[in-house]
Amino acid sequence: MGTWGTGPFDNDLAADYALLLDRSGAPEVLLRHALSEPGSARIESWEVTVAAAAVIASSRAGGEPLHPVYCPQKPLPPLPHDLRELAAAALVTILTRPSRTYGWVGEQFVTRWLSSLAQLHGVLAARPTQLPPAASLACRPTQTAPDSGTRRR
């Protein structure tokens, strides 16, 4: 199927990454790997980096709920705060590359995608005023999606 939208989990690679996070006994290791060097040979794709950043941002104040079907379904353990900084830095790397290198075909999609990445970066770059409560990083759907019963593969 490839890519069906501009959200962080609106592509096959990110949806597969969510499954990997659900099955992993060490999600922090997977998140660190995805955020370490976006676009390098070590990282499969920028889609995985964006998905990892979205998972971390979803637990922060101002963070958007994740896609109700394609994001990780299992709660993740509390994660170290330095992952937020890694995620923000990874997004800067992605945002500073020419958008044409990511394969978007229509200008409206590029604009929407860059806007969502900038918003995601803003959530990650904001300094917390107090320690957030220990919250689960699993999906926090705000509404029921038509296909939220099962994950499509």
Side-chain angles (χ1 to χ4, degrees), residues 69-147:
V69 176
Y70 300 106
C71 74
Q73 301 296 305
K74 292 182 180 177
L76 297 177
L79 297 169
H81 293 288
D82 71 310
L83 282 177
R84 176 191 55 80
E85 293 170 355
L86 280 174
L91 287 179
V92 167
T93 301
I94 291 170
L95 283 164
T96 55
R97 284 182 55 184
S99 60
R100 69 182 175 281
T101 63
Y102 295 104
W104 293 108
V105 292
E107 186 64 33
Q108 73 275 18
F109 296 115
V110 172
T111 302
R112 192 177 315 147
W113 180 69
L114 290 174
S115 175
S116 69
L117 289 187
Q119 181 180 4
L120 187 60
H121 179 266
V123 169
L124 291 165
R127 294 273 180 213
T129 55
Q130 62 184 27
L131 291 176
S136 161
L137 292 179
C139 293
R140 299 180 305 159
T142 56
Q143 61 189 16
T144 304
D147 59 349

Side-chain angles (χ1 to χ4, degrees), residues 5-55:
T6 58
F9 286 93
D10 291 351
N11 61 78
D12 285 335
L13 290 172
D16 289 345
Y17 181 71
L19 287 172
L20 191 60
L21 283 172
D22 280 341
R23 294 175 181 159
S24 172
E28 179 185 341
V29 172
L30 292 175
L31 290 166
R32 283 188 189 283
H33 176 73
L35 299 169
S36 63
E37 297 176 40
S40 76
R42 288 185 47 210
I43 305 301
E44 292 176 22
S45 69
W46 56 266
E47 292 96 337
V48 172
T49 300
V50 171
V55 166

